[in-house]
Amino acid sequence: MGVRMSDSKKRTGKSQRGISRDMVMMVVALTLVTVIAATLLGLTDKVTREPILQAQREMLHRSLQQVLPVHTNSTLDETLKIKTADGIRTIYVARDAENKVLAFAWEVVAPDGYSGSIRILMGVLPDGAVYAVRITDHRETPGLGDGIVRNKPWLDFFSGKTADNVRWAVKKDGGDFDQFTGATITPRAVVKAVRKGLAFFAKNRALLLAKTVGK
Ligand SMILES: Cc1cc2nc3c(=O)[nH]c(=O)nc-3n(C[C@H](O)[C@H](O)[C@H](O)COP(=O)(O)O)c2cc1C
């Protein structure tokens, strides 16, 4: 141990440097616990990472099926990366059996939900019309803002809408989208985010078609 102890120190269990045996034992024990805990954490991460990724992939696949027309390709495996002000956006491409591009899908995030961010997957046809919208993650209040998930007619109202054929706001703000009883903040946030998603498409439509049509 290299801890030399004078006679008087032996009686007190303290080394010449004044470190008690108990202190040394405690440090050793703490180090052991830390190493074991870190090893277990690493193992757990290793064991659970693949199943978690797989589950996330399956969930995304199911959501893509809901926002895209029936298609024959694997949308998870045909993606484009487009730079936006908020970072790189992944675009999923749906094709029919003749390889024709049927629609695109991507995620938008509404930062201003009642309880924080709302994640939305939107499918858009090449002509710029919304095919369908699905909420993939939110923490809005049950019975109030969660109408964005429960209220299917409200969600279906997005289908067929373009940047110009509807007023993109809730009715309380002079638009065409319903708000919910006692809940305006949530629907307002989703409508705004989907509208922003269509603006992104309008800006990148030519690029997306150039990268996909005839490929
Ligand atoms: C506990 C509690 C939870 C609420 N949850 C939501 C919600 O999830 N979504 C929402 O739009 N409004 C929610 N509201 C209502 C909003 O505070 C607000 O009154 C309503 O959205 C109307 O907004 P407006 O005044 O902008 O029209 C909640 C209110 C309370 C007291």
Side-chain angles (χ1 to χ4, degrees):
M1 292 283 286
V3 180
R4 289 179 55 71
M5 300 174 92
S6 67
D7 289 346
S8 60
K9 298 279 177 181
K10 271 191 195 136
R11 277 194 295 282
T12 60
K14 283 199 176 279
S15 72
Q16 274 153 342
R17 289 202 199 99
I19 303 171
S20 75
R21 195 179 300 121
D22 292 354
M23 177 76 83
V24 172
M25 294 312 288
M26 202 165 60
V27 170
V28 170
L30 272 176
T31 312
L32 265 178
V33 169
T34 312
V35 169
I36 293 168
T39 311
L40 285 175
L41 271 175
L43 274 176
T44 311
D45 175 57
K46 212 154 180 238
V47 169
T48 57
R49 190 179 316 154
E50 206 37 54
I52 290 171
L53 284 175
Q54 190 52 32
Q56 284 168 343
R57 205 176 142 83
E58 276 157 25
M59 214 154 79
L60 178 56
H61 176 67
R62 276 198 300 276
S63 302
L64 284 168
Q65 302 295 90
Q66 294 175 5
V67 301
L68 291 165
V70 175
H71 50 275
T72 57
N73 67 320
S74 164
T75 46
L76 283 175
D77 301 319
E78 184 174 354
T79 60
L80 299 169
K81 305 282 180 190
I82 303 284
K83 253 207 197 93
T84 72
D86 312 321
I88 302 287
R89 176 166 278 164
T90 301
I91 312 291
Y92 304 91
V93 184
R95 295 178 185 271
D96 66 11
E98 279 75 48
N99 213 29
K100 182 171 160 258
V101 174
L102 296 170
F104 302 94
W106 61 89
E107 182 183 74
V108 289
V109 177
D112 46 356
Y114 180 82
S115 303
S117 294
I118 302 168
R119 298 175 64 159
I120 305 154
L121 199 63
M122 55 189 289
V124 175
L125 303 173
D127 66 0
V130 173
Y131 181 77
V133 162
R134 283 295 175 273
I135 308 299
T136 54
D137 188 37
H138 76 92
R139 284 176 301 287
E140 303 302 274
T141 313
L144 285 169
D146 74 338
I148 53 175
V149 176
R150 283 182 295 106
N151 188 330
K152 193 150 181 321
W154 185 82
L155 270 175
D156 290 346
F157 185 75
F158 285 92
S159 298
K161 302 299 180 295
T162 66
D164 316 309
N165 70 359
V166 76
R167 289 174 297 172
W168 284 89
V170 294
K171 287 180 175 156
K172 192 174 181 179
D173 303 338
D176 294 320
F177 292 79
D178 284 332
Q179 60 268 350
F180 310 135
T181 312
T184 313
I185 296 170
T186 311
R188 186 186 281 141
V190 173
V191 170
K192 207 166 85 184
V194 175
R195 176 68 190 85
K196 227 177 133 198
L198 284 185
F200 159 81
F201 184 73
K203 193 170 161 225
N204 294 282
R205 182 174 180 274
L207 176 66
L208 290 173
L209 294 176
K211 283 177 176 277
T212 52
V213 173
K215 300 286 185 232

